[in-house]
Amino acid sequence: MVMHANTLEAFQEAAFRFQSDTARLQLRLEKQPHDVPGARLEFERMVESLLDAARALETEAVHAPELVRRAQAAFRELNASVLSRSWLIDRSIKKPRGYPGDHALLDALYTGRTVHGGIGKFLDDRVLGCEAGRAVVARMRFAAEWLRRRLAWNPTAKIVDLACGPCRLERELLDAGAGERAHWIALDGDAEALAFAERVLGPHAERVQLRRENALRIARDRGASPLVAGADYLVSLGLFDYLPRHIAVALLGAIRRSLRPGSELLIGNFAEGNPSRAFMEWFGDWPLIYRSEKQFLDLFREAGFPQDGLSLERESDHGIVLLVTGRVPGSGRIKEQQQPGAVAAS
Ligand SMILES: C[S@@+](CC[C@H](N)C(=O)[O-])C[C@H]1O[C@@H](n2cnc3c(N)ncnc32)[C@H](O)[C@@H]1O
């Protein structure tokens, strides 16, 4: 592949321009703090122009992913002093827990955490307001509603949240009085996430069993996984976006063997075509494994879920997160009606 030197040069120029323009804007904001709306507009234009150059480079270098990764890293290094002003972008780049979307970052999306002012605030607001930021919150609400409907007629259900992170889902439901008699098990591989979740759960903490468990270990289980065994419902959000195909299939297979007959699971995965992808990757070093509807549904089929028990939804109209409900074969108490908007998988 012949890489157009012009496209690379154009991107380098855009990266340098972003550096000098944002430095100038930050100074202006410090001198004229009242002009926030004008400065914000200007900042948005700077980001969009940088992303245009980044996308042009991606298109040109479609067969040279290493070159794209190097250009991304160089952009972030050059602009580190600006990017580190944003709490959300800084955490996503530095990855203190080893990956970008950790429990604290997810919780910041739920609570709308930002720094107080300047360009850092513009960047934080951009993360919260971008399609992916809003989709994370909406997918949690979708899962809460999914569970709330089931708990309404099965109030003592055993529910497993795999890769629970901050447990905002549980907090929302329990605050609303749903699931008070349910048997909640929240699993996460990161002890720090569990300690954080305990604080988020606050007054409900004793209702939820928080357990450290690695999903990769469950994926390797040949039999039933003891913590998941016999559950009525299993939810997992923000995990499959990081799992390669063979691990995702193995994990779904292990879950299918562990859940009781007639039980259901709800799994999320960002869909192909996330409009925030370039922003996440270039600014936040936050790549995900995106899947088409077919690719995602195929994981379930390969793991032995029958076709007629699968349905696919999204977190909202024109949403960008795929949410698959799967039913474990066998007779059970579960005869939940299909949610409005649910389409049987094809
Ligand atoms: C993107 S967050 C999602 C948290 C939560 N499900 C939500 O949507 O708010 C991903 C979570 O998965 C956990 N995690 C990542 N890899 C894991 C693994 N192999 N086993 C268990 N948990 C894992 C992380 O510790 C983190 O809390």
Side-chain angles (χ1 to χ4, degrees), residues 99 101-103 106 110 136 139-140 161-168 187-190 193 213-216 236-239 242-243 286:
Y99 40 82
D102 65 24
H103 61 280
L106 267 278
Y110 297 136
V136 164
R139 94 180 160 191
M140 184 272 284
D161 183 354
L162 181 56
C164 61
C167 279
R168 279 286 159 197
L187 307 175
D188 202 284
D190 184 352
E213 177 61 294
N214 188 340
L216 305 185
S236 189
L237 305 176
L239 176 65
Y242 300 89
L243 302 181
W286 192 341

Side-chain angles (χ1 to χ4, degrees), residues 185-216:
I185 301 190
L187 307 175
D188 202 284
D190 184 352
E192 207 170 282
L194 295 172
F196 188 97
E198 191 171 5
R199 293 195 294 277
V200 167
L201 286 165
H204 310 297
E206 82 281 4
R207 293 191 198 278
V208 181
Q209 245 179 292
L210 294 161
R211 289 292 183 85
R212 189 165 181 198
E213 177 61 294
N214 188 340
L216 305 185

Side-chain angles (χ1 to χ4, degrees), residues 112-261:
R113 174 179 182 162
T114 68
V115 295
H116 288 305
I119 284 189
K121 166 97 171 114
F122 291 170
L123 270 170
D124 278 339
D125 285 344
R126 198 177 203 284
V127 176
L128 296 176
C130 76
E131 291 85 347
R134 285 183 284 122
V136 164
V137 180
R139 94 180 160 191
M140 184 272 284
R141 299 254 151 81
F142 179 101
E145 178 58 17
W146 187 93
L147 277 173
R148 194 195 57 72
R149 291 168 55 133
R150 284 153 177 84
L151 282 164
W153 62 273
N154 191 6
T156 56
K158 174 175 173 178
I159 303 164
V160 173
D161 183 354
L162 181 56
C164 61
C167 279
R168 279 286 159 197
L169 170 63
E170 290 76 4
R171 173 82 208 219
E172 282 232 342
L173 279 162
L174 288 162
D175 272 351
E180 287 176 326
R181 290 162 56 215
H183 177 188
W184 292 95
I185 301 190
L187 307 175
D188 202 284
D190 184 352
E192 207 170 282
L194 295 172
F196 188 97
E198 191 171 5
R199 293 195 294 277
V200 167
L201 286 165
H204 310 297
E206 82 281 4
R207 293 191 198 278
V208 181
Q209 245 179 292
L210 294 161
R211 289 292 183 85
R212 189 165 181 198
E213 177 61 294
N214 188 340
L216 305 185
R217 204 202 57 69
I218 296 178
R220 285 195 296 268
D221 271 351
R222 297 233 160 256
S225 175
L227 287 166
V228 180
D232 296 288
Y233 306 113
L234 179 139
V235 171
S236 189
L237 305 176
L239 176 65
F240 280 68
D241 313 83
Y242 300 89
L243 302 181
R245 205 188 118 271
H246 67 286
I247 295 179
V249 170
L251 180 57
L252 287 171
I255 292 171
R256 182 182 54 72
R257 289 190 295 278
S258 305
L259 294 180
R260 63 169 199 76

